[in-house]
Amino acid sequence: MWLTFLVSLALLAPAISAATATTADKVLSNHATILADNSANLAISLYQNVAKEKGAENILISPVVVASSLGLVALGGKGSTASQVKTILNAAKVQDEQLHSGLAELLTEVSDPKERNVTWKISNRLYGPSSVTFAEDFVKSSKKHYKCDHSKINFRDKKSAINSINKWAAKSTDGKLPEVTKDVENTDGAMIINAMFFKPHWDEQFHPTMVDNRGFLVSRSYTVALQMMHRTVGLFDFYDDTTNKLYLLSLPLAHKKSTVVFIMPYHMEPLDRLEKMLSKKQLDTWMGKMKQTAVAVSLPKVSMEVSHNLQKHLQDLGLTEAVDKSKADLSNVSGKKDLYLSGVLHAAALEWDTHGNEIDTSIFGTEKLKTPKLFYADHPFVFFIKDKKTNSLLFIGRMVRPKGEKMRDEL
């Protein structure tokens, strides 16, 4: 009997092992992989468009969330109104149902708090004018694929509409986004709103007690007082681009499934020069040249709250019909051709803090940490958060003017 039991266990073990491996090493579907790969191109195009806005300062965009908003447009649209979304996402060969299931799969994968060990609250809402009646099939599908809820709102009462939107965004992010809009430009269309809060959990923490007051050079004549957090030294992927006079640093987040990559000019300068270089090919080139290096790191310990209306920028990238009142066919939303997209509000809060796993002290005192490089982020920089498993970009942004009081000039 025992022999039979042991033989059964031996036969069962490979099956259990295979099942465990399948669960742990879950692979994205082909259509989700296509959408993930293309997120970098969408990210950079959007970023560069937003950066050209007059008066634009800090930027914070989540390409995978923007892709989900575009998916929502495709779900509600028909004909070329829907097909334009596939063109922007470079997914013309992906079937409609695969587009929606693929975007849902991708966002679920990268925002899993246990897998990624990050705080990432994402809320999506479609606001329609008081006259609209949402079709039942659209409501079910949009909740299933995009976790999007729906609300009718009287846009003509602007003050009340703005208050309602801001109250919803604040509640959705536990107060991290108290105000996402100050105005509603159009009163007769539909508006998609993303409200997010993202807080990285570093693979190795910054020293909790090594936080002090420093200055951040917004420009040569304007310095902001803020707190800086420090890592005296650690081993990180780093590249010193001496040709372009840029430093690149990659700091892994907990579980090492994603990483924050910082790109910073040697000295304080407007970011235009760096931003003109940005492309997927250039990012891949830089990433390929990064090597494990001893680096002492100092970063601003601040939060960023940024809100962008991406409607015009998505229109520039090819979403021309959904935003055009005379051409839009969003009849899947209400069963009637009575809607157009009047706004895509993309609001996010990002908090940089010291929290992370314990520092690996086993390398202290070794040759690996000799003659460390210095990455001191006290002037404007570009950053992106890259997911290693899916190869998608979770965020792309820049810090130009962190929160803080202007420092007084001292003689």
Side-chain angles (χ1 to χ4, degrees), residues 48-59:
Q48 289 175 328
N49 267 25
V50 173
K52 292 173 186 173
E53 273 187 4
K54 187 178 180 181
E57 293 183 331
N58 297 337
I59 295 175

Side-chain angles (χ1 to χ4, degrees), residues 202-367:
W202 306 107
D203 181 56
E204 289 192 7
Q205 67 184 356
F206 283 75
H207 297 292
T209 57
M210 291 183 64
V211 176
D212 53 14
N213 296 319
R214 302 286 179 101
F216 186 96
L217 305 169
V218 176
S219 67
R220 296 191 185 279
S221 60
Y222 195 101
T223 303
V224 166
L226 48 63
Q227 288 191 315
M228 292 281 277
M229 55 189 187
H230 310 279
R231 274 294 311 272
T232 46
V233 69
L235 276 180
F236 305 109
D237 284 342
F238 181 82
Y239 176 56
D240 181 355
D241 185 344
T242 54
T243 303
N244 293 306
K245 295 182 171 53
L246 300 169
Y247 294 124
L248 287 95
L249 172 71
S250 177
L251 295 183
L253 301 184
H255 297 351
K256 296 187 177 180
K257 299 217 173 157
S258 52
T259 187
V260 186
V261 180
F262 299 90
I263 313 174
M264 184 176 70
Y266 281 1
H267 307 290
M268 201 296 300
E269 64 172 85
L271 291 175
D272 313 40
R273 179 180 69 87
L274 164 56
E275 289 167 342
K276 286 175 183 175
M277 292 184 229
L278 293 179
S279 67
K280 187 176 184 301
K281 183 179 179 181
Q282 181 62 68
L283 291 182
D284 289 342
T285 299
W286 277 328
M287 295 289 283
K289 291 182 177 181
M290 298 180 92
K291 293 181 180 178
Q292 282 268 293
T293 307
V295 189
V297 183
S298 295
L299 292 178
K301 181 181 179 292
V302 293
S303 61
M304 292 173 63
E305 295 89 34
V306 187
S307 184
H308 304 290
N309 190 341
L310 298 180
Q311 181 195 7
K312 180 182 179 298
H313 305 300
L314 291 172
Q315 185 176 351
D316 291 342
L317 296 183
L319 193 74
T320 58
E321 287 203 7
V323 300
D324 188 324
K325 191 174 181 179
S326 63
K327 296 180 180 178
D329 185 350
L330 295 173
S331 49
N332 283 338
V333 176
S334 64
K336 292 187 273 184
K337 204 173 173 182
D338 58 349
L339 278 180
Y340 75 106
L341 190 62
S342 62
V344 180
L345 202 59
H346 189 76
L350 173 64
E351 191 171 296
W352 305 103
D353 208 337
T354 60
H355 298 158
N357 298 337
E358 290 295 321
I359 295 171
D360 178 10
T361 57
S362 66
I363 58 172
F364 286 5
T366 66
E367 291 290 321

Side-chain angles (χ1 to χ4, degrees), residues 64-65 68 102-112 120 122 124:
V64 290
V65 174
S68 293
L103 287 171
E105 181 186 351
L106 174 60
L107 193 55
T108 299
E109 171 67 38
V110 299
S111 62
D112 184 333
W120 195 3
I122 305 169
N124 302 306

Side-chain angles (χ1 to χ4, degrees), residues 152-204:
K152 293 200 284 188
I153 193 168
N154 181 10
F155 286 121
R156 295 184 189 281
D157 183 351
K158 284 194 174 188
K159 186 176 180 181
S160 176
I162 292 165
N163 286 339
S164 295
I165 292 168
N166 286 333
K167 190 177 289 186
W168 169 80
K171 185 178 179 181
S172 301
T173 57
D174 297 330
K176 300 296 182 179
L177 285 171
E179 183 180 81
V180 298
T181 186
K182 293 181 179 180
D183 190 20
V184 176
E185 292 182 13
N186 299 301
T187 59
D188 57 349
M191 180 181 284
I192 296 173
I193 301 185
N194 316 128
M196 294 165 281
F197 171 58
F198 187 90
K199 183 176 181 179
H201 186 88
W202 306 107
D203 181 56
E204 289 192 7

Side-chain angles (χ1 to χ4, degrees), residues 25-197:
D25 304 324
K26 182 184 175 186
V27 178
L28 282 183
S29 62
N30 185 53
H31 40 281
T33 301
I34 291 171
L35 294 163
D37 287 343
N38 293 336
S39 69
N41 289 321
L42 173 64
I44 293 164
S45 297
L46 262 180
Y47 175 95
Q48 289 175 328
N49 267 25
V50 173
K52 292 173 186 173
E53 273 187 4
K54 187 178 180 181
E57 293 183 331
N58 297 337
I59 295 175
L60 189 56
I61 298 169
S62 173
V64 290
V65 174
V66 173
S68 293
S69 293
L70 286 169
L72 189 66
V73 174
L75 186 68
K78 289 184 179 179
S80 51
T81 299
S83 64
Q84 283 185 344
V85 169
K86 289 186 179 180
T87 303
I88 295 170
L89 295 175
N90 198 16
K93 295 181 180 179
V94 177
Q95 298 297 314
D96 288 354
E97 185 53 39
Q98 291 179 332
L99 175 76
H100 304 307
S101 63
L103 287 171
E105 181 186 351
L106 174 60
L107 193 55
T108 299
E109 171 67 38
V110 299
S111 62
D112 184 333
K114 291 182 180 178
E115 283 287 311
R116 296 299 187 280
N117 197 7
V118 296
T119 299
W120 195 3
K121 290 179 68 71
I122 305 169
S123 297
N124 302 306
R125 177 170 279 198
L126 176 66
Y127 281 99
S130 304
S131 57
V132 74
T133 300
F134 294 111
E136 188 176 339
D137 286 348
F138 174 77
V139 170
K140 285 182 179 178
S141 295
S142 56
K143 284 185 176 179
K144 173 186 174 184
H145 295 301
Y146 302 113
K147 296 178 182 174
C148 179
D149 62 12
H150 311 76
S151 179
K152 293 200 284 188
I153 193 168
N154 181 10
F155 286 121
R156 295 184 189 281
D157 183 351
K158 284 194 174 188
K159 186 176 180 181
S160 176
I162 292 165
N163 286 339
S164 295
I165 292 168
N166 286 333
K167 190 177 289 186
W168 169 80
K171 185 178 179 181
S172 301
T173 57
D174 297 330
K176 300 296 182 179
L177 285 171
E179 183 180 81
V180 298
T181 186
K182 293 181 179 180
D183 190 20
V184 176
E185 292 182 13
N186 299 301
T187 59
D188 57 349
M191 180 181 284
I192 296 173
I193 301 185
N194 316 128
M196 294 165 281
F197 171 58

